[in-house]
Amino acid sequence: MSALSLEPYGWDAFFAEAFAPHARAGLMPGRVLLQHNKIYLVCTRQGEIYAEVTGRVLHEARGREDLPAVGDWVALRPAGGEGRRATIHAVLPRKSKFSRKAAGSRTEEQVVAANVDTVFLVAGLDNDFNPRRLERYLIMSHESGARPVVVLNKADLAEDLEEKVREVERIAPGVPVVLMSARRGEGVERLLPFIWTGQTVALMGSSGVGKSTIVNRLLGDEAQRTQEVRSGDDRGKHTTTHRELILLPGGGLVMDTPGMRELQLLVSDRGLRETFDDVETLAAECRFSDCRHEGEPGCRIREALADGTLAAARFESYRKMLAEMAQAAVRQEQRAAQVEKGRVKRLTRAYNKSKKRY
Ligand code: GDP
Ligand code: ZN
Protein backbone atom coordinates (compact mmCIF):
# COMPACT_ATOMS: atom_id res chain seq x y z
CA MET A 1 0.00 0.00 0.00
CA SER A 2 1.40 3.37 -0.93
CA ALA A 3 1.70 5.79 1.94
CA LEU A 4 -0.34 8.98 2.04
CA SER A 5 1.46 12.26 2.36
CA LEU A 6 0.87 14.01 5.65
CA GLU A 7 2.03 17.43 4.36
CA PRO A 8 -1.50 18.46 3.28
CA TYR A 9 -2.48 17.86 6.91
CA GLY A 10 0.19 20.21 8.19
CA TRP A 11 3.09 17.85 8.82
CA ASP A 12 6.32 19.86 8.67
CA ALA A 13 9.89 20.10 9.98
CA PHE A 14 8.69 21.23 13.42
CA PHE A 15 6.60 18.12 13.99
CA ALA A 16 9.07 15.82 12.23
CA GLU A 17 11.76 16.89 14.67
CA ALA A 18 9.48 16.43 17.68
CA PHE A 19 8.49 13.02 16.38
CA ALA A 20 12.02 11.69 15.75
CA PRO A 21 12.40 9.87 19.11
CA HIS A 22 8.98 8.22 18.63
CA ALA A 23 9.97 7.06 15.15
CA ARG A 24 12.94 5.28 16.70
CA ALA A 25 10.47 3.58 19.06
CA GLY A 26 8.56 2.24 16.06
CA LEU A 27 5.55 4.56 16.35
CA MET A 28 3.84 6.39 13.51
CA PRO A 29 2.63 9.98 13.33
CA GLY A 30 -0.97 11.05 12.83
CA ARG A 31 -3.23 14.08 13.26
CA VAL A 32 -6.47 14.01 15.23
CA LEU A 33 -9.45 14.82 12.99
CA LEU A 34 -12.22 14.12 15.46
CA GLN A 35 -12.64 13.27 19.11
CA HIS A 36 -15.54 11.45 20.70
CA ASN A 37 -15.05 10.95 24.42
CA LYS A 38 -12.07 8.60 24.51
CA ILE A 39 -12.08 7.66 20.83
CA TYR A 40 -10.02 9.59 18.34
CA LEU A 41 -10.19 9.55 14.56
CA VAL A 42 -6.63 10.03 13.38
CA CYS A 43 -5.24 10.60 9.90
CA THR A 44 -2.03 8.63 9.29
CA ARG A 45 0.10 7.66 6.30
CA GLN A 46 -1.99 4.48 6.20
CA GLY A 47 -5.26 6.37 6.09
CA GLU A 48 -7.78 7.24 8.78
CA ILE A 49 -7.82 5.03 11.85
CA TYR A 50 -9.53 5.01 15.22
CA ALA A 51 -7.33 5.22 18.28
CA GLU A 52 -7.37 5.43 22.06
CA VAL A 53 -4.74 6.78 24.43
CA THR A 54 -2.76 4.23 26.39
CA GLY A 55 -3.30 3.81 30.11
CA ARG A 56 0.14 5.20 30.65
CA VAL A 57 -0.63 8.45 28.80
CA LEU A 58 -3.84 8.76 30.84
CA HIS A 59 -1.97 8.08 34.03
CA GLU A 60 0.84 10.50 33.35
CA ALA A 61 -1.38 13.36 32.17
CA ARG A 62 -1.29 16.22 34.66
CA GLY A 63 -4.72 17.28 33.45
CA ARG A 64 -7.00 17.23 30.45
CA GLU A 65 -4.74 19.65 28.64
CA ASP A 66 -2.15 16.88 28.35
CA LEU A 67 -4.56 14.62 26.45
CA PRO A 68 -4.95 14.80 22.67
CA ALA A 69 -7.40 17.31 21.17
CA VAL A 70 -8.60 17.87 17.63
CA GLY A 71 -5.68 19.17 15.59
CA ASP A 72 -3.03 17.48 17.70
CA TRP A 73 -0.22 15.45 16.21
CA VAL A 74 0.19 12.17 18.05
CA ALA A 75 2.53 9.16 18.09
CA LEU A 76 0.62 5.92 17.46
CA ARG A 77 1.15 2.21 17.53
CA PRO A 78 -0.95 0.56 14.82
CA ALA A 79 -3.67 -1.83 15.85
CA GLY A 80 -2.44 -5.40 16.25
CA GLY A 81 -5.36 -7.53 15.15
CA GLU A 82 -8.63 -7.24 13.31
CA GLY A 83 -11.05 -4.70 14.74
CA ARG A 84 -8.62 -3.36 17.29
CA ARG A 85 -7.90 0.27 17.77
CA ALA A 86 -4.52 1.90 17.44
CA THR A 87 -3.00 3.30 20.60
CA ILE A 88 -1.79 6.85 21.17
CA HIS A 89 1.50 6.91 23.07
CA ALA A 90 2.32 10.62 23.00
CA VAL A 91 1.03 14.05 22.02
CA LEU A 92 3.58 16.13 20.12
CA PRO A 93 4.27 19.71 21.29
CA ARG A 94 1.62 22.16 20.11
CA LYS A 95 2.30 25.22 17.98
CA SER A 96 -0.87 26.79 19.30
CA LYS A 97 -3.94 25.87 21.30
CA PHE A 98 -7.39 27.16 22.11
CA SER A 99 -8.60 26.18 25.56
CA ARG A 100 -11.60 26.57 27.75
CA LYS A 101 -12.38 25.68 31.30
CA ALA A 102 -13.78 22.19 31.65
CA ALA A 103 -17.41 21.86 32.65
CA GLY A 104 -18.07 21.76 36.39
CA SER A 105 -16.66 23.79 39.18
CA ARG A 106 -13.00 22.93 38.66
CA THR A 107 -10.97 25.39 36.69
CA GLU A 108 -9.25 22.74 34.69
CA GLU A 109 -8.10 23.62 31.22
CA GLN A 110 -9.46 21.75 28.23
CA VAL A 111 -7.92 22.17 24.81
CA VAL A 112 -10.63 22.49 22.17
CA ALA A 113 -8.39 23.01 19.15
CA ALA A 114 -4.68 22.45 18.67
CA ASN A 115 -2.21 23.65 16.06
CA VAL A 116 -4.37 26.30 14.45
CA ASP A 117 -2.13 28.54 12.32
CA THR A 118 -4.56 31.31 11.51
CA VAL A 119 -7.81 32.26 13.18
CA PHE A 120 -10.45 34.29 11.39
CA LEU A 121 -12.14 36.54 13.92
CA VAL A 122 -15.51 36.98 12.31
CA ALA A 123 -17.72 39.94 13.08
CA GLY A 124 -20.98 40.84 11.38
CA LEU A 125 -21.23 44.35 10.00
CA ASP A 126 -24.94 44.52 10.73
CA ASN A 127 -26.49 46.09 13.82
CA ASP A 128 -24.76 43.55 15.98
CA PHE A 129 -21.27 44.91 15.31
CA ASN A 130 -19.53 45.15 18.68
CA PRO A 131 -15.90 46.33 18.92
CA ARG A 132 -15.58 45.19 22.52
CA ARG A 133 -16.45 41.65 21.59
CA LEU A 134 -13.82 41.77 18.88
CA GLU A 135 -11.27 42.82 21.48
CA ARG A 136 -12.12 39.72 23.53
CA TYR A 137 -11.60 37.47 20.53
CA LEU A 138 -8.31 39.22 19.82
CA ILE A 139 -7.16 38.45 23.35
CA MET A 140 -8.04 34.80 22.90
CA SER A 141 -6.23 34.51 19.62
CA HIS A 142 -3.12 36.20 20.97
CA GLU A 143 -3.20 33.75 23.88
CA SER A 144 -3.62 30.78 21.59
CA GLY A 145 -0.53 31.45 19.51
CA ALA A 146 -2.53 31.46 16.26
CA ARG A 147 -2.30 34.44 13.93
CA PRO A 148 -5.47 36.55 13.90
CA VAL A 149 -7.18 37.95 10.81
CA VAL A 150 -10.27 40.09 11.31
CA VAL A 151 -13.09 39.15 8.94
CA LEU A 152 -15.85 41.70 8.62
CA ASN A 153 -18.78 39.79 7.16
CA LYS A 154 -22.21 40.97 5.98
CA ALA A 155 -20.63 43.90 4.16
CA ASP A 156 -23.89 43.99 2.18
CA LEU A 157 -25.70 45.17 5.31
CA ALA A 158 -23.14 47.70 6.52
CA GLU A 159 -24.12 51.34 6.66
CA ASP A 160 -21.00 53.24 7.66
CA LEU A 161 -18.52 50.72 6.30
CA GLU A 162 -15.40 52.89 6.24
CA GLU A 163 -15.89 54.12 9.76
CA LYS A 164 -16.28 50.56 11.03
CA VAL A 165 -13.14 49.42 9.24
CA ARG A 166 -11.23 52.34 10.76
CA GLU A 167 -12.53 51.39 14.19
CA VAL A 168 -11.34 47.80 13.74
CA GLU A 169 -7.93 49.03 12.62
CA ARG A 170 -7.70 51.11 15.79
CA ILE A 171 -8.63 48.11 17.95
CA ALA A 172 -6.38 45.68 16.11
CA PRO A 173 -3.35 47.58 14.83
CA GLY A 174 -1.30 45.49 12.42
CA VAL A 175 -3.92 42.75 12.12
CA PRO A 176 -5.13 42.11 8.55
CA VAL A 177 -8.77 43.04 7.94
CA VAL A 178 -10.91 41.30 5.30
CA LEU A 179 -14.26 42.65 4.13
CA MET A 180 -16.73 40.18 2.67
CA SER A 181 -20.28 39.05 2.19
CA ALA A 182 -20.49 35.29 2.62
CA ARG A 183 -24.15 35.14 1.65
CA ARG A 184 -23.50 36.87 -1.66
CA GLY A 185 -20.21 35.05 -2.12
CA GLU A 186 -18.35 38.33 -2.37
CA GLY A 187 -14.82 38.66 -1.02
CA VAL A 188 -14.31 34.95 -0.30
CA GLU A 189 -11.14 35.11 -2.41
CA ARG A 190 -9.72 37.63 0.08
CA LEU A 191 -9.47 34.80 2.62
CA LEU A 192 -7.38 32.63 0.31
CA PRO A 193 -4.02 34.41 0.84
CA PHE A 194 -4.28 33.21 4.46
CA ILE A 195 -5.01 29.59 3.55
CA TRP A 196 -2.51 27.37 1.79
CA THR A 197 -1.54 23.69 1.74
CA GLY A 198 -0.84 22.44 5.24
CA GLN A 199 -2.21 25.57 6.89
CA THR A 200 -4.91 25.15 9.51
CA VAL A 201 -7.47 27.89 9.89
CA ALA A 202 -10.25 28.24 12.43
CA LEU A 203 -13.13 30.65 12.77
CA MET A 204 -14.15 32.43 15.92
CA GLY A 205 -16.96 34.84 16.49
CA SER A 206 -20.39 35.18 18.01
CA SER A 207 -23.26 33.08 16.86
CA GLY A 208 -24.97 34.42 13.77
CA VAL A 209 -22.06 36.35 12.30
CA GLY A 210 -21.82 33.94 9.37
CA LYS A 211 -19.11 31.42 10.31
CA SER A 212 -20.93 28.38 8.87
CA THR A 213 -21.75 30.28 5.70
CA ILE A 214 -18.06 31.16 5.29
CA VAL A 215 -16.95 27.54 5.93
CA ASN A 216 -19.44 26.32 3.35
CA ARG A 217 -18.12 28.85 0.84
CA LEU A 218 -14.59 27.56 1.46
CA LEU A 219 -15.68 23.94 1.15
CA GLY A 220 -17.60 24.57 -2.03
CA ASP A 221 -20.96 23.15 -3.00
CA GLU A 222 -19.83 19.57 -3.43
CA ALA A 223 -18.42 19.23 0.09
CA GLN A 224 -21.48 20.94 1.47
CA ARG A 225 -23.72 18.31 -0.14
CA THR A 226 -21.60 15.51 1.28
CA GLN A 227 -21.87 17.01 4.73
CA GLU A 228 -25.63 17.17 4.43
CA VAL A 229 -25.85 13.53 3.41
CA ARG A 230 -23.65 12.56 6.29
CA SER A 231 -25.51 14.49 8.94
CA GLY A 232 -27.86 11.62 9.86
CA ASP A 233 -27.52 7.85 9.82
CA ASP A 234 -30.03 5.30 8.56
CA ARG A 235 -31.66 4.87 11.96
CA GLY A 236 -32.52 8.54 11.87
CA LYS A 237 -30.17 9.22 14.73
CA HIS A 238 -27.87 12.19 14.49
CA THR A 239 -24.27 11.09 14.27
CA THR A 240 -21.09 13.04 14.05
CA THR A 241 -19.54 11.34 11.08
CA HIS A 242 -18.07 14.54 9.69
CA ARG A 243 -14.54 15.51 10.58
CA GLU A 244 -13.91 18.49 12.79
CA LEU A 245 -10.67 19.12 10.97
CA ILE A 246 -11.54 19.26 7.29
CA LEU A 247 -9.28 19.24 4.26
CA LEU A 248 -10.28 22.04 1.88
CA PRO A 249 -10.59 21.26 -1.84
CA GLY A 250 -8.13 24.05 -2.70
CA GLY A 251 -5.57 23.03 -0.03
CA GLY A 252 -5.38 23.92 3.64
CA LEU A 253 -7.57 22.76 6.50
CA VAL A 254 -10.44 24.27 8.39
CA MET A 255 -11.05 23.52 12.06
CA ASP A 256 -14.69 23.49 13.06
CA THR A 257 -15.19 22.04 16.56
CA PRO A 258 -18.17 22.56 18.86
CA GLY A 259 -15.69 23.56 21.56
CA MET A 260 -14.41 26.44 19.46
CA ARG A 261 -17.98 27.65 19.19
CA GLU A 262 -18.56 27.79 22.89
CA LEU A 263 -15.20 29.06 23.96
CA GLN A 264 -15.23 30.98 27.17
CA LEU A 265 -13.04 33.90 27.71
CA LEU A 266 -9.84 32.76 29.34
CA VAL A 267 -8.04 36.02 29.68
CA SER A 268 -4.51 36.39 30.84
CA ASP A 269 -1.99 39.14 31.21
CA ARG A 270 -0.16 38.20 28.04
CA GLY A 271 -3.24 38.36 25.85
CA LEU A 272 -4.30 41.65 27.37
CA ARG A 273 -0.91 43.17 26.92
CA GLU A 274 -0.70 42.32 23.23
CA THR A 275 -4.23 43.46 22.47
CA PHE A 276 -3.81 46.73 24.31
CA ASP A 277 -0.18 47.20 23.40
CA ASP A 278 -0.65 50.91 22.68
CA VAL A 279 -2.35 51.62 26.05
CA GLU A 280 0.21 49.56 27.96
CA THR A 281 3.07 51.39 26.23
CA LEU A 282 1.60 54.74 27.26
CA ALA A 283 0.97 53.54 30.82
CA ALA A 284 4.61 52.48 31.08
CA GLU A 285 5.57 56.10 30.35
CA CYS A 286 3.54 57.56 33.23
CA ARG A 287 5.73 59.22 35.85
CA PHE A 288 4.58 56.90 38.63
CA SER A 289 4.75 53.18 38.07
CA ASP A 290 1.54 52.68 40.07
CA CYS A 291 -0.27 55.50 38.23
CA ARG A 292 -4.03 55.00 38.22
CA HIS A 293 -4.41 57.50 35.39
CA GLU A 294 -6.87 59.51 37.42
CA GLY A 295 -5.21 62.90 37.39
CA GLU A 296 -1.79 62.09 38.85
CA PRO A 297 0.99 64.40 37.62
CA GLY A 298 2.98 63.20 34.61
CA CYS A 299 0.27 60.81 33.43
CA ARG A 300 0.88 59.87 29.78
CA ILE A 301 -2.57 58.30 29.44
CA ARG A 302 -4.31 61.57 30.42
CA GLU A 303 -2.05 63.41 27.96
CA ALA A 304 -2.86 61.01 25.15
CA LEU A 305 -6.57 61.20 25.92
CA ALA A 306 -6.37 64.99 25.86
CA ASP A 307 -4.55 65.25 22.54
CA GLY A 308 -6.63 62.51 20.94
CA THR A 309 -3.86 59.95 20.31
CA LEU A 310 -5.77 57.58 22.61
CA ALA A 311 -9.50 57.21 22.06
CA ALA A 312 -11.57 57.49 25.23
CA ALA A 313 -13.62 54.43 24.23
CA ARG A 314 -10.48 52.34 23.83
CA PHE A 315 -9.14 53.37 27.22
CA GLU A 316 -12.56 52.61 28.72
CA SER A 317 -12.57 49.06 27.32
CA TYR A 318 -9.03 48.57 28.59
CA ARG A 319 -10.23 49.53 32.06
CA LYS A 320 -13.28 47.27 31.86
CA MET A 321 -11.08 44.39 30.77
CA LEU A 322 -8.73 44.94 33.72
CA ALA A 323 -11.70 45.00 36.10
CA GLU A 324 -13.15 41.80 34.60
CA MET A 325 -9.80 40.08 34.90
CA ALA A 326 -9.52 41.08 38.54
CA GLN A 327 -13.03 39.71 39.16
CA ALA A 328 -12.24 36.47 37.36
CA ALA A 329 -9.11 36.07 39.50
CA VAL A 330 -11.16 36.53 42.68
CA ARG A 331 -13.73 33.97 41.50
CA GLN A 332 -10.98 31.51 40.68
CA GLU A 333 -9.47 31.92 44.13
CA GLN A 334 -12.87 31.40 45.75
CA ARG A 335 -13.37 28.23 43.76
CA ALA A 336 -9.93 26.94 44.70
CA ALA A 337 -10.68 27.67 48.37
CA GLN A 338 -13.95 25.76 48.06
CA VAL A 339 -12.25 22.74 46.51
CA GLU A 340 -9.66 22.82 49.30
CA LYS A 341 -12.41 23.05 51.95
CA GLY A 342 -14.13 19.98 50.46
CA ARG A 343 -10.85 18.08 50.45
CA VAL A 344 -10.18 18.88 54.11
CA LYS A 345 -13.74 17.83 55.01
CA ARG A 346 -13.36 14.48 53.23
CA LEU A 347 -9.99 13.89 54.84
CA THR A 348 -11.36 14.68 58.28
CA ARG A 349 -14.31 12.36 57.75
CA ALA A 350 -12.01 9.54 56.60
CA TYR A 351 -9.73 10.19 59.55
CA ASN A 352 -12.63 10.11 62.07
CA LYS A 353 -13.92 6.88 60.55
CA SER A 354 -10.53 5.24 60.84
CA LYS A 355 -10.33 6.29 64.50
CA LYS A 356 -13.66 4.62 65.26
CA ARG A 357 -12.40 1.36 63.86
CA TYR A 358 -9.52 1.11 66.25
P1 GDP B 1 -22.80 31.34 12.45
O1 GDP B 1 -23.70 31.18 13.62
O2 GDP B 1 -21.69 32.30 12.74
O3 GDP B 1 -22.29 30.05 11.89
O4 GDP B 1 -23.67 32.07 11.31
P2 GDP B 1 -24.37 31.44 10.02
O5 GDP B 1 -23.38 31.13 8.97
O6 GDP B 1 -25.29 30.36 10.44
O7 GDP B 1 -25.21 32.72 9.51
C1 GDP B 1 -26.23 33.30 10.28
C2 GDP B 1 -27.19 34.04 9.36
O8 GDP B 1 -26.53 35.13 8.72
C3 GDP B 1 -27.72 33.16 8.24
O9 GDP B 1 -29.08 33.46 8.03
C4 GDP B 1 -26.88 33.55 7.05
O10 GDP B 1 -27.55 33.37 5.82
C5 GDP B 1 -26.66 35.03 7.32
N1 GDP B 1 -25.46 35.53 6.65
C6 GDP B 1 -24.25 34.95 6.60
N2 GDP B 1 -23.38 35.71 5.89
C7 GDP B 1 -24.07 36.80 5.50
C8 GDP B 1 -23.74 37.96 4.73
O11 GDP B 1 -22.62 38.14 4.25
N3 GDP B 1 -24.72 38.88 4.54
C9 GDP B 1 -25.98 38.72 5.05
N4 GDP B 1 -26.87 39.67 4.80
N5 GDP B 1 -26.32 37.64 5.75
C10 GDP B 1 -25.39 36.69 5.99
ZN1 ZN C 1 -1.07 57.44 34.20
Side-chain angles (χ1 to χ4, degrees):
M1 192 171 108
S2 67
L4 290 170
S5 168
L6 289 178
E7 272 77 16
Y9 286 90
W11 182 252
D12 62 7
F14 174 88
F15 295 115
E17 197 190 323
F19 184 74
H22 302 296
R24 286 192 288 275
L27 302 176
M28 63 179 190
R31 194 168 190 198
V32 176
L33 304 179
L34 180 72
Q35 182 195 353
H36 239 323
N37 300 324
K38 287 180 178 158
I39 314 288
Y40 296 86
L41 181 65
V42 184
C43 176
T44 72
R45 293 202 175 100
Q46 265 109 63
E48 291 182 359
I49 56 170
Y50 284 98
E52 276 176 302
V53 295
T54 61
R56 178 164 179 190
V57 169
L58 268 179
H59 184 72
E60 285 178 356
R62 287 158 303 171
R64 287 170 79 169
E65 73 266 29
D66 283 349
L67 296 175
V70 176
D72 262 325
W73 283 96
V74 294
L76 302 139
R77 188 167 314 279
E82 192 68 34
R84 275 191 51 206
R85 294 195 174 107
T87 45
I88 297 174
H89 291 252
V91 181
L92 300 193
R94 295 167 175 139
K95 284 183 181 173
S96 70
K97 64 174 182 186
F98 284 93
S99 324
R100 71 172 150 94
K101 285 176 191 148
S105 60
R106 311 233 338 252
T107 55
E108 207 185 346
E109 179 187 353
Q110 185 186 2
V111 178
V112 296
N115 299 316
V116 171
D117 297 299
T118 299
V119 59
F120 294 133
L121 306 179
V122 188
L125 281 172
D126 47 1
N127 298 329
D128 218 22
F129 180 66
N130 181 340
R132 268 210 11 100
R133 209 151 47 203
L134 190 59
E135 274 167 355
R136 285 167 175 271
Y137 290 128
L138 272 166
I139 288 180
M140 276 199 254
S141 57
H142 281 311
E143 281 207 313
S144 74
R147 187 172 67 132
V149 172
V150 174
V151 176
L152 300 177
N153 190 34
K154 306 195 187 185
D156 53 300
L157 295 179
E159 306 223 321
D160 30 16
L161 204 80
E162 271 149 49
E163 198 198 303
K164 280 173 175 161
V165 172
R166 264 200 306 274
E167 185 160 12
V168 169
E169 282 168 347
R170 256 200 316 273
I171 293 170
V175 176
V177 180
V178 169
L179 264 177
M180 68 180 293
S181 169
R183 182 183 271 175
R184 291 194 182 165
E186 288 164 7
V188 187
E189 73 285 351
R190 296 191 189 127
L191 297 176
L192 301 184
F194 303 103
I195 312 172
W196 60 91
T197 301
Q199 279 279 303
T200 303
V201 302
L203 291 87
M204 207 154 73
S206 310
S207 160
V209 294
K211 296 182 298 295
S212 313
T213 315
I214 295 171
V215 169
N216 287 337
R217 287 279 176 199
L218 290 173
L219 285 171
D221 295 335
E222 192 188 327
Q224 198 179 334
R225 266 200 305 275
T226 338
Q227 294 261 325
E228 275 163 21
V229 172
R230 280 177 178 166
S231 65
D233 70 6
D234 48 7
R235 282 159 296 175
K237 216 167 57 180
H238 184 81
T239 51
T240 324
T241 42
H242 68 276
R243 317 298 183 246
E244 289 175 354
L245 183 60
I246 310 155
L247 213 48
L248 293 170
L253 302 120
V254 65
M255 178 86 80
D256 189 16
T257 76
M260 274 303 275
R261 288 174 176 265
E262 56 199 45
L263 256 191
Q264 275 179 27
L265 182 61
L266 261 183
V267 268
S268 85
D269 275 350
R270 189 165 58 93
L272 183 81
R273 210 146 283 150
E274 283 175 34
T275 306
F276 288 102
D277 197 31
D278 51 340
V279 187
E280 292 262 320
T281 304
L282 285 169
E285 291 169 2
C286 290
R287 188 181 304 161
F288 302 112
S289 60
D290 60 347
C291 185
R292 287 177 306 152
H293 324 304
E294 283 170 357
E296 290 97 328
C299 177
R300 276 290 286 131
I301 297 271
R302 287 287 139 197
E303 248 178 69
L305 285 170
D307 68 19
T309 40
L310 175 61
R314 181 154 173 81
F315 181 57
E316 195 43 45
S317 46
Y318 171 75
R319 285 215 128 144
K320 268 194 191 146
M321 197 71 72
L322 277 184
E324 279 173 23
M325 278 173 61
Q327 265 173 19
V330 168
R331 273 198 302 272
Q332 222 163 56
E333 265 172 43
Q334 283 171 344
R335 259 196 302 262
Q338 227 157 34
V339 169
E340 180 60 21
K341 222 165 99 187
R343 207 176 64 86
V344 171
K345 236 187 198 160
R346 276 196 304 278
L347 269 174
T348 314
R349 213 180 298 139
Y351 174 70
N352 288 342
K353 251 192 200 158
S354 73
K355 262 201 314 202
K356 268 181 222 145
R357 239 183 283 146
Y358 296 108

